Amino acid sequence: MDRFAGVGVLLTGAGSGIGRATALRLVEEGAAVFGVDLSPSGLAKTAAAAKGPGRVVTHVADVSDESAVVEAVAAAARRLGGIDVLINVAGLHRTTPIDTLTVADMQRLFSVNAVGTALFCREALRHLPDERGVIVNVASSAATHGNPYMSAYSASKGAVLAFSLCLASEVAHRGIRVVPVSPGTVATPLTAGGDILPAALDTGYYQRIRSLFGAADPEQIAGVIAFAASGDGGYLTGAEIRADGGSHT
Ligand SMILES: NC(=O)c1ccc[n+]([C@@H]2O[C@H](COP(=O)([O-])OP(=O)(O)OC[C@H]3O[C@@H](n4cnc5c(N)ncnc54)[C@H](O)[C@@H]3O)[C@@H](O)[C@H]2O)c1
């Protein structure tokens, strides 16, 4: 498929997991990808793994830093000769039991997941072309489903979802689409551990909501994002695509 031949894509979170898989998929389909991430080594791995016919250039930036976002979007427009598609994937997760929830955790989750997404939308909308510009924002199935110990993360992703639905209606007059994509559990570094779970955690709960298909591969979510961003998804806007393997049905 060459759905992205000649298309310039600004992609955050390109240094790992779903973002890297999306970069590789879009380059395979012909896109010129401007990949942003906090991690220089992650971006280098993505660039090394990318196979044409498209290409990827990388840019290190913290998506929660307003001036860094302004600079990143301007650089993307210069390097790509315009921006046709914005895909916000960068995000982080923290387990936050309510009794030990901190303001710092809440603020970090919101500033990266929600504010970072909003800033990239604001800046990229100055460049996205009327009638064919697309924004895909990665939210989470946790935005619409209760999971213990994930209230702060889920709230930040609920903000991404609500922001995306409102923005879709606000930019519809320009013919620009905004599509929130909400993955369920995906096998990436984000879910691979590092977070210390409380001893009282009801892990049986997670078994009950787990997809019978198991965790998704990041490539499966990249395929959904590519669909939403491509002409094949041309009638999609302001509607959440929940790619959760049926875990919440
Ligand atoms: N893995 C899952 O189960 C799952 C489920 C639902 C939603 N998501 C969402 O998908 C997105 C990608 O997650 P993933 O699983 O690929 O995780 P990941 O940890 O593999 O990748 C996240 C990437 O975001 C980057 N990042 C984090 N903070 C950043 C910042 N401040 N500035 C720039 N880059 C930053 C990281 O460096 C990393 O490369 C996230 O928004 C996550 O919340 C993941």
Side-chain angles (χ1 to χ4, degrees), residues 35-149:
V36 176
D37 203 286
L38 201 51
S39 163
S41 61
L43 286 171
K45 277 189 201 153
T46 302
K51 295 187 175 45
R55 65 192 165 89
V56 59
V57 290
T58 62
H59 181 96
V60 176
D62 181 341
V63 302
S64 67
D65 175 341
E66 184 172 11
S67 57
V69 174
V70 170
E71 200 183 300
V73 175
R78 269 196 315 276
R79 292 292 298 274
L80 300 175
I83 300 168
D84 301 300
V85 174
L86 166 68
I87 304 177
N88 281 302
V89 183
L92 62 97
H93 178 266
R94 275 180 198 166
T95 304
T96 55
I98 192 65
D99 48 345
T100 54
L101 181 65
T102 64
V103 170
D105 274 343
M106 285 291 282
Q107 285 177 336
R108 189 66 189 146
L109 284 162
F110 271 79
S111 67
V112 174
N113 295 350
V115 179
T117 296
L119 288 174
F120 267 92
C121 289
R122 185 190 73 192
E123 291 305 309
L125 274 162
R126 306 186 203 283
H127 301 277
L128 290 178
D130 290 358
E131 306 309 329
R132 57 186 178 82
V134 186
I135 295 174
V136 177
N137 291 331
V138 172
S140 169
S141 63
T144 53
H145 191 267
N147 299 310
Y149 310 112

Side-chain angles (χ1 to χ4, degrees), residues 3-4 134-136 177 179-181 222-234 236 241:
R3 293 181 297 185
F4 291 90
V134 186
I135 295 174
V136 177
R177 300 189 295 112
V179 186
V181 169
V224 175
I225 293 170
F227 166 70
S230 75
D232 286 337
L236 290 173
I241 302 182

